[in-house]
């Protein structure tokens, strides 16, 4: 590709496109900072004046919001922990150890990403109800991990494959067991891949809605996404408070993305498309 | 490393066991249980265990006899085709733009991805507000640029609410389409374009005769992944319209939810759910086989 003649012209076009595209996100933040009496006017303001935190205190005063934010944090961290705990050894075995059935397992992990969540939520609701798991963090963490574990293994396996095996062999010769090799040699080398998997798993756990809606059983373990949906029903026209809630939910997402961006994008596109 | 001893293999199986056992218990078993539920008469009374009566294909029959089911199948088709067509086209156009080197390219690209990363519940809430009839930003915007003909009560009018949810879903899907298509564009040898340009081919001709044909395999992949994701969409539509107004946006996933979690007709919900599972499975199996031929694992995208 030759360098374009007017690179800044392209920058201008891209800026315009991005601005138009991200207008809803700007509007969310703007609305959340606008005085409630100035939100619903026939001709909206483009910038909040004066900036106010009123909507945030209204939202945080709503029943259960702080609890729900905490619940979501517990669930997301639980999802990350469980996903890595189960996924890292599994990915390593599938990448490095010749076993019968590993091809079948990889295929199973690919197919595992296909079922729509609603098809799984329905039987899980019955089975978790019978096992006493509805209304527990564990029940939600396990349900969310069915979404994160398959793709985590699929993303990590090629990363592990691409590392040169000499270090592992040296450690094995030195009498280190396989679990030790995994912990002391492989994991430190795989930080980017593991961070990407952890970041994506966190985002999925944080944003998950349907399992929360069907398996949470009340405010004790309800994630914040479910509460936001409930707020629409209860406070349908308090757009300021709704947008403050939505912004609060989005902040961790943008933070995680900003920190892990390079890892996440790399993990997403790793091998997904080859021309 | 290349002499798999029996002990090493055993350790390997031990490494696999927890993860695979977990997926067997929380994913495979529930899905199979769904099949079992679909041929039994199961409702709230027997939720905590009881004598479910085997009723063969009765549940499938009642679903097939339900006009609301076929209505939701049609809506799913409209929703999926509309979303795919628009997000692919817009994603492709953006990919062509971002494939050119220019200052701040990476920053803009990352910013666009935010739309795709936001939880769908947040996006849904957001678009409820943006499309609000009284004071939504889009209607204000249309009026500001003299397109007041486009100001409309999008989500509460049954004839336009589908357009509203497709619009929101396209917004969510465009960045992902763009990202994958961009990866594809980068694999095209720039010398091809240079040679064609020297031969006097216009930019349009180069796009038509070089870029588009070479992008075909990538495009198939992107469209297929898009199909898989779009078919699964639940949160976004549920939050935006709840399937309304007057069933105008009750796509298949929302129909299954309603039968199962609102009416507690578990058997029928399971039967309808299985039909929702068939399309992604068929498409997915075909895709995986195609990839295997290329011996390459796809990235698991977050849905």
């Amino acid at each position: 590709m030759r360098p374009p003649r007017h690179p800044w012209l392209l920058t201008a076009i891209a800026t315009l496109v991005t601005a138009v595209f991200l207008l809803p996100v700007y509007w969310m933040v703007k609305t959340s900072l606008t005085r409630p009496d100035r939100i619903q006017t026939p001709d909206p303001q483009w910038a909040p004046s004066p900036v106010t935190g009123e909507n945030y205190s209204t939202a945080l005063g709503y029943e259960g919001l702080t609890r729900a934010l905490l619940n979501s944090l517990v669930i997301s961290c639980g999802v990350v922990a469980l996903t890595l705990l189960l996924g890292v050894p599994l990915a390593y075995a599938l990448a490095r150890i010749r076993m019968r059935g590993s091809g079948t397992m990889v295929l199973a992990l690919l197919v595992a990403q296909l079922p729509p969540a609603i098809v799984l939520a329905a039987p899980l609701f019955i089975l978790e109800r019978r096992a006493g798991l509805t209304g527990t963090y564990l029940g939600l963490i396990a349900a969310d991990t069915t979404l994160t574990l398959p793709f985590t293994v699929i993303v990590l396996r090629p990363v592990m494959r691409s590392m040169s095996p000499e270090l592992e062999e040296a450690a094995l010769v030195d009498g280190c067991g396989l679990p030790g090799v995994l912990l002391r040699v492989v994991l430190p080398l795989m930080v980017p891949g593991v961070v990407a998997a952890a970041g994506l798993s966190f985002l999925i756990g944080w944003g998950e809605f349907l399992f929360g809606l069907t398996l949470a059983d009340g405010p004790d373990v309800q994630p914040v996404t479910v509460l936001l949906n409930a707020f629409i029903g209860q406070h349908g026209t308090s757009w300021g408070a709704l947008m403050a809630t939505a912004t609060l939910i989005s902040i961790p997402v943008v933070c995680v993305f900003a920190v892990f961006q390079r890892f996440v994008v790399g993990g997403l596109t790793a091998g997904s498309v080859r021309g | 490393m290349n002499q798999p001893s029996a002990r090493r293999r055993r350790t390997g199986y031990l490494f696999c066991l927890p993860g695979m056992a977990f997926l067997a218990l929380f994913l495979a078993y529930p899905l199979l249980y769904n099949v079992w539920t679909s041929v039994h008469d199961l409702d709230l009374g027997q939720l905590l265990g009881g004598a479910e009566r085997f009723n063969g294909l009765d549940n499938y029959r009642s679903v097939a006899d339900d006009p609301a089911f076929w209505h939701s199948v049609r809506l799913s088709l409209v929703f999926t085709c509309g979303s795919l067509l628009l997000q692919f086209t817009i994603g492709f156009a953006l990919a062509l733009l971002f494939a050119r080197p220019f200052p701040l390219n990476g920053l803009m690209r990352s910013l666009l991805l935010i739309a795709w990363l936001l939880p769908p519940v947040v996006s849904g809430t957001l678009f409820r507000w943006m499309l609000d009839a009284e004071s939504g930003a889009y209607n204000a915007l249309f009026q500001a640029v003299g397109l007041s003909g486009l100001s409309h009560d999008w989500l509460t009018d049954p004839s336009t609410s589908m357009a509203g949810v497709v619009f929101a879903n396209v917004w969510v899907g465009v960045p992902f389409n763009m990202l994958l298509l961009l990866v594809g564009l980068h694999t095209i040898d720039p010398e091809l374009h240079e040679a064609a340009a020297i031969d006097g081919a216009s930019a349009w001709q180069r796009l038509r005769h070089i870029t588009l044909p070479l992008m075909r395999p990538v495009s198939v992949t992107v469209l297929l992944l898009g199909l898989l994701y779009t078919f699964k969409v639940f949160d976004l539509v549920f939050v935006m319209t709840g399937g309304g107004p007057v069933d105008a946006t009750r796509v298949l996933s929302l129909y299954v939810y309603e039968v199962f979690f609102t009416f507690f007709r578990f058997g029928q919900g399971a039967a309808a759910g299985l039909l929702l599972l068939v399309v992604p499975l068929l498409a997915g199996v075909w895709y995986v086989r195609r990839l295997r031929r290329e011996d390459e694992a796809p990235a698991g995208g977050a849905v």
Side-chain angles (χ1 to χ4, degrees):
Chain A
M1 193 66 78
R2 286 165 307 161
R5 264 167 308 195
H6 309 288
W8 285 102
L9 181 68
L10 286 175
T11 304
I13 296 170
T15 310
L16 185 68
V17 168
T18 309
V20 169
F21 194 82
L22 287 184
L23 175 70
V25 179
Y26 170 75
W27 211 249
M28 166 175 82
V29 178
K30 187 228 87 165
T31 306
S32 76
L33 295 170
T34 306
R35 259 181 32 200
D37 59 314
R38 300 199 178 179
I39 289 175
Q40 277 168 290
T41 49
D43 49 312
Q45 307 165 300
W46 285 93
S49 67
V51 171
T52 171
E54 205 176 321
N55 298 309
Y56 287 88
S57 41
T58 308
L60 289 167
Y62 283 158
E63 177 120 18
L65 182 59
T66 39
R67 172 82 205 213
L69 283 165
L70 201 67
N71 286 340
S72 281
L73 191 65
V74 170
I75 292 163
S76 314
C77 292
V79 169
V80 171
L82 186 61
T83 303
L84 293 182
L85 198 70
L86 298 171
V88 169
L90 178 54
Y92 182 74
L94 291 176
R96 277 284 195 252
I97 300 170
R98 284 222 193 108
M99 303 174 295
R100 223 173 276 133
S102 59
T104 314
M105 282 194 250
V106 172
L107 193 64
L109 289 164
L110 291 173
V111 173
Q113 298 179 57
L114 299 175
I118 180 71
V119 182
L120 186 61
L124 268 183
F125 169 74
I126 298 177
L127 295 170
E128 287 205 358
R129 177 64 61 100
R130 287 181 182 173
L133 282 171
T134 41
T136 65
Y137 287 130
L138 188 62
L140 283 172
I141 290 168
D144 289 358
T145 303
T146 60
L147 304 172
T148 55
L149 181 59
F151 86 76
T152 296
V153 177
I154 295 295
V155 168
L156 287 184
R157 197 178 70 114
V159 180
M160 293 190 175
R161 272 232 157 123
S162 63
M163 299 189 322
S164 67
E166 284 88 6
L167 276 170
E168 294 159 63
E169 280 166 12
L172 280 171
V173 170
D174 289 342
C176 202
L178 262 184
V181 169
L182 182 58
L183 272 176
R184 292 193 203 115
V185 182
V186 178
L187 270 182
L189 289 171
M190 295 199 34
V191 166
V194 172
V195 167
L200 276 170
S201 300
F202 183 91
L203 290 182
I204 290 179
W206 181 259
E208 206 288 323
F209 171 70
L210 182 57
F211 292 142
L213 185 70
T214 53
L215 304 173
D217 249 14
D220 287 353
V221 299
Q222 201 174 51
V224 70
T225 46
V226 177
L227 202 68
L228 174 62
N229 180 57
F231 281 175
I232 296 175
Q234 295 159 10
H235 316 286
T237 49
S238 314
W239 286 111
L242 279 175
M243 288 301 128
T245 310
T247 308
L248 285 172
I249 299 175
S250 308
I251 289 168
V253 175
V254 174
C255 289
V256 166
F257 179 59
V259 173
F260 299 144
Q261 186 216 332
R262 185 162 304 152
F263 300 140
V264 171
V265 173
L268 269 181
T269 49
S272 68
V273 178
R274 287 198 324 178
Chain B
M1 275 331 240
N2 14 11
Q3 303 137 351
S5 63
R7 181 157 158 260
R8 187 176 161 78
R9 256 207 314 273
R10 261 205 312 280
T11 315
Y13 283 126
L14 277 178
F15 277 10
C16 292
L17 185 67
M20 293 314 279
F22 171 85
L23 287 174
L25 190 63
F26 280 92
L27 186 71
Y29 171 59
L31 290 174
L32 288 171
Y33 181 78
N34 214 20
V35 178
W36 188 90
T37 310
S38 74
V39 290
H40 284 79
D41 188 11
L42 182 66
D43 58 31
L44 213 49
Q46 297 115 343
L47 178 60
L48 288 169
E52 300 90 359
R53 195 174 54 81
F54 177 78
N55 65 354
L57 294 180
D58 285 3
N59 292 322
Y60 291 87
R61 253 180 240 116
S62 1
V63 170
D65 287 342
D66 184 1
F69 168 75
W70 294 109
H71 178 64
S72 73
V73 170
R74 272 194 302 276
L75 290 178
S76 273
L77 278 174
V78 172
F79 180 77
T80 306
C81 294
S83 297
L84 281 184
L85 197 72
L86 287 166
Q87 68 190 23
F88 182 83
T89 313
I90 299 170
F92 206 111
L94 288 180
L96 287 172
L97 170 65
F98 282 96
R100 315 277 301 271
F102 58 80
L104 303 183
N105 179 314
L107 173 72
M108 301 284 170
R109 240 171 24 201
S110 303
L111 285 175
L112 286 178
L113 269 182
I114 290 175
W116 179 67
L117 286 168
L118 283 184
V121 178
V122 171
S123 319
T125 313
L126 205 48
F127 275 90
R128 265 185 96 121
W129 170 224
M130 294 294 291
L131 295 167
D132 185 70
E134 299 299 315
S135 36
Y138 281 129
N139 285 343
L141 203 65
F142 290 143
Q143 264 148 12
V145 296
L147 289 168
S148 45
L150 280 173
S151 309
H152 186 69
D153 203 347
W154 291 94
L155 292 178
T156 41
D157 174 353
S159 60
T160 54
S161 56
M162 179 54 90
V165 290
V166 166
F167 179 71
N169 191 48
V170 167
W171 185 79
V172 172
V174 158
F176 185 69
N177 277 259
M178 176 197 79
L179 196 69
L180 293 185
L181 290 166
L182 198 56
V183 176
L185 284 176
H186 281 311
T187 61
I188 296 177
D189 186 354
E191 284 181 15
L192 286 171
H193 277 276
E194 279 161 29
I198 290 167
D199 289 343
S202 67
W204 168 245
Q205 284 171 320
R206 292 203 302 270
L207 174 71
R208 237 193 93 188
H209 298 291
I210 300 174
T211 310
L212 288 181
L214 286 173
M215 286 292 283
R216 192 164 295 144
V218 179
S219 302
V220 170
T221 300
V222 172
L223 281 169
L224 194 95
L225 287 175
L227 172 74
L228 292 176
Y229 296 155
T230 314
F231 216 72
K232 290 184 187 189
V233 169
F234 174 88
D235 314 6
L236 188 75
V237 181
F238 186 84
V239 169
M240 278 180 81
T241 63
V246 215
D247 295 346
T249 54
R250 181 154 292 113
V251 289
L252 205 41
S253 56
L254 266 75
Y255 172 86
V256 173
Y257 174 87
E258 189 172 57
V259 171
F260 200 96
F261 290 103
T262 311
F263 301 131
F264 297 115
R265 296 204 298 261
F266 297 147
Q268 285 160 40
L274 282 176
L275 294 168
L276 186 63
L277 189 61
V278 167
V279 173
L281 272 182
L282 286 178
V285 168
W286 177 78
Y287 175 60
V288 167
R289 286 182 52 184
R290 188 166 161 266
L291 274 174
R292 291 231 141 175
R293 282 206 297 276
E294 297 172 19
D295 189 30
E296 178 81 86
V303 183

